[in-house]
Amino acid sequence: MFERIFEILEKQNTWRRKQCLNMIASENVLSPLAEKFLISDFEGRYNEHDKEPHYQGTKYAMEIENLINEIFGKRFNTRFVDCRPISGSIANLCAYHAFLKHGDVFIAPGLTAGAHVSSTRYGIAGVKGLQSISAYFDSEKFILDVDMTSRLIEKYNPKLIMLGRSMFLFPEPIKELREVAGEIPIVYDAAHVFGLIYGGEFQAPLKEGADIITASTHKTFPGPQGGIIIAKANLEEEKWDKIEKAIFPGIISNHHIYRLPALAITALEMNEFGEEYAKQVIKNAQVFAQNLYELGFNVICEEYNFTRSHQVVVDVSELKGGKVVAEKLEKSNIIVNKIALPWDKDKDATHNPSGIRIGLQELTRWGMKEKEMSEIAIFFKRTLLDEENLENVKKDVIEFRKDFQEIKYCKRINF
Ligand SMILES: Cc1ncc(COP(=O)(O)O)c(C=O)c1O
């Protein structure tokens, strides 16, 4: 059995780390330095705290947590940072718990407009008995429809507005919504785009009118798997108190403190390389989309230069749908996921939806640039349009990956 576990790890590390084109938009890789900091005595320790620590032995855990608050606080110009949420979904749960009670109405993206399941009745919002009303979405421009959504706000007087999505091509119209939202809290779910925002790209939610950012720390932000909540500098103290109470004692007892040193390392690396990385991610996504489009793929939003984020979305309904296409690509060692598009019916959304979503953030970390984007687009064509033997494509993908085995945008320090 021991050998078997070792073998599974070896296979995973070879296959996904070295031989695949990893293009899942919600994944990334840690830098070698951050990875080194992932295993320590913090694994297995606790640090429950509100104003006071509840356990002894926590002085260094507290020190690393305070350091993270300081680094992120400086970047977002606020003292309101909490890195205890153990994932993006849990960060959202904490925000809901702080501001909403059972039966409350809130507005969030619709399921086929890129919502994450946590803001829908199938996920955390449903579990908490919240009523999630779908914001209107302009399915031509792939952005929230401000006029129509303003009418929803007037009609329902929601207790909270949630922005940010899992399928996320263009910035949210935060400023415009702030004008109609009045005092209603706006929470911006930056799970996907947190690394771009940290790098100064995409948009600046807190400056544009959001009250709170929730995020994952492992998607475009290339840190360890976890979550974070950051609030605007002038948030009322009692609102931040509600968030802190929602986090502990409300929802989280053990916040997986082993991940925090790696999170701090990633943030420091992002301070140094984040801007260059974020710019290259977006450039790669735009160039990759253009290449796919020229090869005959039905890439979404051609009139709007396809994307302003790390994502590219392709309508593959004529190629038998997102599930079939994603499975075929996996046979060529190209890893993407299916996704529902606005014209899909809810019931088809999880089975074989019309779209695939492609993320360029990880390949950018492996050092790929514009030239490689055109080569990868050809692997897509060979797999999906040319009906080539997929074993041959896979061999060529593995060969291609051999030149990209070192993670960029990070520090090289030997500890
Ligand atoms: C918009 C959005 N919010 C929240 C989450 C959940 O994040 P996590 O997987 O860190 O819980 C995701 C996950 O992909 C997401 O896309």
Side-chain angles (χ1 to χ4, degrees), residues 167-186:
M167 181 174 63
F168 207 173
L169 294 179
F170 300 104
E172 296 281 18
I174 308 174
K175 275 187 196 144
E176 294 86 337
L177 281 173
R178 180 79 275 165
E179 275 171 27
V180 282
E183 295 299 304
I184 303 168
I186 296 183

Side-chain angles (χ1 to χ4, degrees), residues 26 87-90 92 114 116 118 164-166 189 191-192 216 218-219 226 357:
S26 52
S87 75
S89 301
I90 298 298
N92 287 343
H116 184 249
S118 57
R165 351 180 143 246
S166 298
D189 179 347
H192 263 267
S216 306
H218 52 267
K219 295 182 165 71
R357 184 188 65 173

Side-chain angles (χ1 to χ4, degrees), residues 12 16-17 24-31 34-35 37-38 68 72 83-91 191 194 215-228 252 254-264 266 361-362 365:
Q12 171 74 12
R16 292 294 304 274
R17 251 312 143 105
I24 300 275
S26 52
E27 296 183 345
N28 216 320
V29 270
L30 282 176
S31 74
E35 203 162 55
F37 280 69
L38 204 53
I68 287 172
F72 283 88
C83 59
R84 285 178 291 175
I86 53 173
S87 75
S89 301
I90 298 298
F194 190 52
S216 306
T217 53
H218 52 267
K219 295 182 165 71
T220 51
F221 190 89
Q225 289 188 324
I228 196 161
I252 298 162
N254 146 30
H255 53 275
H256 301 182
I257 53 182
Y258 71 90
R259 70 191 160 87
L260 298 182
L263 179 60
T266 309
Q361 71 293 342
E362 183 177 332
R365 298 257 299 155

